[in-house]
């Protein structure tokens, strides 16, 4: 379906100011459709005066629609719907005496000129499906009367009105709770839903005849209501505004639209919506996030304790092989702790992995005796990863970086552990493509042992890496000689869920 802006640009002479006005009107016309129990169609004048284009359409949520099909984008030539032509040329509301029959459905049609800055810029057609009209009760009469006030205001150019509106999706609808105020802010009519909302706030009496602002002040403690200026502007119906009001157990959003006739303020529509459940869910989500963060924090602390215990035990062991095995366990536990530490700061279970990779690189070179000589340089970015992927990948990186350090740059002198002077660099390259992450680890060290077959190697480090990459992450692992005939290149390619 074409957008209003598109239709305006292609078919009409309306300018940016006019379009802004029409968008403001559309932001609120659901209220008019609901109050009228009628379909609204916005008709835009053709630039060559050949007729009108349907620019937008709104169905009522309070009654049956008069249009089963969408009409936006359709064209009505001049003369086919005289009501549109008359409303546009005279600038007055036009109503037909007899209903139109459309597919055996009686439809009452009215045309409302849309005035902005003194000019008529479009016409709103209001079509009421008369089959749905019930015997008018006080509610219906109040709705219809208010709808009449608002449509008159559209024709006079005083609706929509500029005002401070927060554009939240929770904006109240007519069905949530409707109040009609008089010019002094006293309630003329409150719908049953509006009364229920006020009952939940603690109201015991009736609302009719009372000052809505006074009643609300009496029910809601000062701490839980907006500043006095906002409160009286909204609840006395003098400002086109909305605000949120909360008592201890109940939260509501209040929206007011002042009604004017010429220059006179004649009253207001006030819509109220109980948003207690929404707000409770908001609060629950916040505490759930905090709990998850706290759990990650504790896991990290526990892992650090485990690492400390293993380190203590390693110091008591004389046998070098057993000792270095324990030291490796310390490192492996440490790399998981780093992920949990990062997760404990994140909200949605996603982490920025660059930070983790850099810390793992630093950890691997610090722990070994090559710290002086070898460093890890990251190229490119991992971006954000889900926590389970991050956990597995952190282990993989720890093992592969450790191998590059340990086996790529072996000690020159076994007895002293001296690895010589000079700079060596391990390049960790990360590349994100949609739904994929590719990374390579390149060292320019001594290279893989002659005849080494990574698929036959049964040592623990590469087994961990292979299991994690292939089974856990569903990816691929490749080990081979470095690019320029020196050192080793390890490539890892994993699929990622697209978000
Ligand atoms: N970057 C590298 N440069 C040279 N050789 C490597 C490299 N990476 C792996 N290797 C070779 O592959 C072998 C297997 O590595 P793997 O990580 O599985 O075991 P490890 O490092 O010997 O012991 P650990 O289980 O403690 O990690 C190593 O012993 C080493 O010979
Ligand atoms: Mg290893």
């Amino acid at each position: 379906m074409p957008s209003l802006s598109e239709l305006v640009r292609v078919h009409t002479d309306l300018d940016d100011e006019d379009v802004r006005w029409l968008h403001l009107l559309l932001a609120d016309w659901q209220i008019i459709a609901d109050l009228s129990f009628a379909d609204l169609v916005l008709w835009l004048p053709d630039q060559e005066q050949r007729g009108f284009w349907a620019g937008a359409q709104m169905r009522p949520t309070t009654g049956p629609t008069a249009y089963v099909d969408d009409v936006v984008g359709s064209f009505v030539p001049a003369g086919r719907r005289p009501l549109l032509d008359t409303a546009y040329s005279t600038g007055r509301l036009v109503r037909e005496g007899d209903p139109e029959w459309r597919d055996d459905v009686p439809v009452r049609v009215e045309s409302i000129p849309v005035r902005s800055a003194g000019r008529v810029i479009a016409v709103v057609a209001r079509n009421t499906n008369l089959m749905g009209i019930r015997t008018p009760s006080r509610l219906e009469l109040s709705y219809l009367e208010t709808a009449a006030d608002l449509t008159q205001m559209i024709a006079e150019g005083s609706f929509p009105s500029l005002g401070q509106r927060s554009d939240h999706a929770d904006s109240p609808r007519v069905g949530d709770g409707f109040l009609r105020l008089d010019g002094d802010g006293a309630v003329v009519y409150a719908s049953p839903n509006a009364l229920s909302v006020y009952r939940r706030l603690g109201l015991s009496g009736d609302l009719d005849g009372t000052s809505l602002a006074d009643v609300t002040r009496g029910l809601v403690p000062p701490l839980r209501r907006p500043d006095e200026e906002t409160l009286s502007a909204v609840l006395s119906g003098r400002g086109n505004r909305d605000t949120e009001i909360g008592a201890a157990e109940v939260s509501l959003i209040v929206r007011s639209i002042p009604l004017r006739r010429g220059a006179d303020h004649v009253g207001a529509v006030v819509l109220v919506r109980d948003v207690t459940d929404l707000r409770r869910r908001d609060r629950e989500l916040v505490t759930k996030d905090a709990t998850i963060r706290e759990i990650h924090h504790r896991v990290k602390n526990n892992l650090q304790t485990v690492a400390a215990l293993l380190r203590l035990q390693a110091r008591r062991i004389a046998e070098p092989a057993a000792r270095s095995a324990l030291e490796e366990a310390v490192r492996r536990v440490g790399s998981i702790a780093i992920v949990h530490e990062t997760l404990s700061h994140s909200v949605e279970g996603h982490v920025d992995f660059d930070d983790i990779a850099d810390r793992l690189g630093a950890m691997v070179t610090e722990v070994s005796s090559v710290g002086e000589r070898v460093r890890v340089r990251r190229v490119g970015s991992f971006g954000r990863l889900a926590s389970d992927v991050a956990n597995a990948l952190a282990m993989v990186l720890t093992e592969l970086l450790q191998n590059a350090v340990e086996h790529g740059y072996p000690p020159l002198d076994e007895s002293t552990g001296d690895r010589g002077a000079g700079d060596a660099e391990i390049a960790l390259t990360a590349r994100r493509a949609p739904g994929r992450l590719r990374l390579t680890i390149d060292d320019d060290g001594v290279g893989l042992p002659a005849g080494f077959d990574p698929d036959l190697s049964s040592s623990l480090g590469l087994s961990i890496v292979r299991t994690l990459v292939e089974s856990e992450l569903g990816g691929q692992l490749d080990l081979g000689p470095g690019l320029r005939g020196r050192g080793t290149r390890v490539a890892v390619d994993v699929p990622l869920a697209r978000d």
Side-chain angles (χ1 to χ4, degrees):
M1 223 192 316
S3 74
L4 176 67
S5 306
E6 262 164 32
L7 289 164
V8 165
R9 190 162 31 80
V10 178
H11 298 300
T12 77
D13 277 335
L14 299 175
D15 62 25
D16 290 350
E17 271 306 300
D18 298 334
V19 175
R20 229 167 53 83
W21 188 261
L22 293 177
H23 276 295
L24 267 179
L25 174 66
L26 299 196
D28 275 337
W29 72 341
Q30 174 82 64
I31 294 173
I32 299 176
D34 287 348
L35 289 173
S36 322
F37 310 96
D39 287 75
L40 303 179
V41 178
L42 178 69
W43 291 99
L44 307 167
D46 177 71
Q47 56 198 354
E48 280 147 26
Q49 281 93 49
R50 292 184 301 123
F52 294 91
W53 296 87
Q57 172 179 15
M58 178 57 78
R59 295 193 174 89
T61 60
T62 47
T65 182
Y67 285 104
V68 180
D69 298 321
D70 287 339
V71 295
V72 173
S74 63
F75 178 73
V76 169
R80 171 92 54 87
R81 296 267 188 85
L83 262 62
L84 291 182
D85 303 319
T86 316
Y88 187 65
S89 59
T90 63
R92 278 207 303 269
L93 280 153
V94 198
R95 186 165 306 156
E96 216 166 45
D98 296 326
E100 250 174 46
W101 286 83
R102 287 190 204 149
D103 300 333
D104 292 337
V105 173
V107 175
R108 188 173 53 228
V109 186
E110 288 154 284
S111 294
I112 303 146
V114 179
R115 193 182 298 272
S116 164
R119 288 180 306 123
V120 176
I121 60 171
V123 177
V124 171
R126 181 162 67 161
N127 305 281
T128 315
N129 179 341
L130 293 177
M131 297 262 265
I133 290 298
R134 295 167 278 186
T135 34
S137 64
R138 262 193 85 202
L139 178 131
E140 265 103 38
L141 291 175
S142 293
Y143 276 18
L144 291 172
E145 194 187 317
T146 308
D149 288 333
L150 287 170
T151 49
Q152 186 60 44
M153 283 168 67
I154 294 178
E156 285 174 9
S158 52
F159 185 88
S161 70
L162 307 163
Q164 304 174 10
R165 293 270 335 272
S166 49
D167 246 336
H168 36 56
D170 326 328
S171 201
R173 293 206 173 173
V174 171
D176 292 323
F178 164 89
L179 296 127
R180 170 73 194 238
L181 307 186
D182 69 12
D184 299 320
V187 177
V188 179
Y189 174 75
S191 75
N193 279 349
L195 197 60
S196 306
V197 171
Y198 268 81
R199 290 259 181 275
R200 260 167 263 146
L201 269 187
L203 178 81
S204 50
D206 211 349
L207 275 173
D208 284 5
T210 61
S211 150
L212 191 64
D214 286 347
V215 169
T216 311
R217 276 192 208 96
L219 294 171
V220 182
L223 269 181
R224 300 206 176 252
R225 50 191 208 228
D227 59 279
E228 187 49 37
E229 196 231 312
T230 308
L231 182 102
S232 62
V234 174
L235 290 168
S236 70
R238 295 237 157 222
N240 181 10
R241 292 171 70 163
D242 55 7
T243 187
E244 190 160 339
I245 297 177
E249 296 294 316
V250 189
S251 307
L252 50 139
I253 294 178
V254 190
R255 163 85 201 275
S256 96
I257 301 171
L259 300 174
R260 353 186 83 259
R261 211 162 288 149
D264 299 330
H265 173 82
V266 296
V269 193
V270 174
L271 304 178
V272 292
R273 176 174 176 198
D274 183 346
V275 289
T276 313
D277 288 342
L278 285 180
R279 294 297 169 261
R280 186 179 305 132
R281 218 176 315 139
D282 289 350
R283 279 197 301 276
E284 279 168 5
L285 281 178
V286 169
T287 47
K288 202 164 140 211
D289 281 343
T291 313
I292 291 172
R293 281 204 296 271
E294 174 63 20
I295 289 172
H296 283 302
H297 182 71
R298 287 181 186 203
V299 170
K300 181 213 74 176
N301 285 349
N302 292 347
L303 288 171
Q304 283 180 342
T305 312
V306 171
L309 285 172
L310 292 172
R311 203 175 294 122
L312 266 180
Q313 215 150 9
R315 285 206 200 116
R316 291 161 172 266
I317 293 176
E319 218 273 298
R323 187 176 177 147
S324 82
L326 278 184
E327 277 166 1
E328 277 194 34
V330 169
R331 209 183 56 237
R332 286 178 176 139
V333 172
S335 72
I336 309 176
I338 287 180
V339 178
H340 282 280
E341 150 104 88
T342 318
L343 279 170
S344 70
H345 302 300
S346 86
V347 185
E348 333 86 323
H350 279 71
V351 287
D352 183 354
F353 198 79
D354 289 349
D355 186 40
I356 293 181
D358 293 346
R359 290 169 60 185
L360 291 174
M363 178 182 82
V364 165
T365 45
E366 262 163 33
V367 170
S368 72
S369 52
V370 296
E372 307 285 291
R373 241 194 95 189
V374 182
R375 58 186 203 97
V376 177
R377 183 170 60 99
R378 172 170 56 83
V379 184
S381 175
F382 288 87
R384 295 172 66 69
L385 297 175
S387 57
D388 51 345
V389 176
N391 249 321
L393 210 59
M395 283 293 274
V396 168
L397 271 188
T398 312
E399 292 305 323
L400 294 176
L401 291 172
Q402 182 69 24
N403 278 355
V405 170
E406 198 179 340
H407 307 300
Y409 309 95
L412 298 174
D413 179 345
E414 278 296 343
S415 60
T416 60
D418 175 27
R419 295 185 191 226
D423 283 325
E425 195 173 70
I426 299 168
L428 167 59
T429 313
R431 226 163 250 123
R432 265 305 265 274
R436 286 211 93 68
L437 171 66
R438 258 191 78 78
L439 58 107
T440 52
I441 295 158
D442 292 290
D443 67 64
D444 58 356
V446 301
L448 294 164
F452 177 80
D453 183 348
D455 294 329
L456 297 179
S457 156
S458 60
S459 47
L460 183 60
L462 283 182
S463 309
I464 294 178
V465 172
R466 191 178 307 284
T467 309
L468 288 172
V469 171
E470 290 173 359
S471 309
E472 178 112 14
L473 297 172
Q476 260 184 19
L477 173 71
D478 280 309
L479 246 84
L483 288 184
R484 268 171 255 105
R486 270 183 68 72
T488 306
R489 154 163 281 204
V490 186
V492 175
D493 192 342
V494 291
L496 299 174
R498 284 159 203 259
D499 42 18

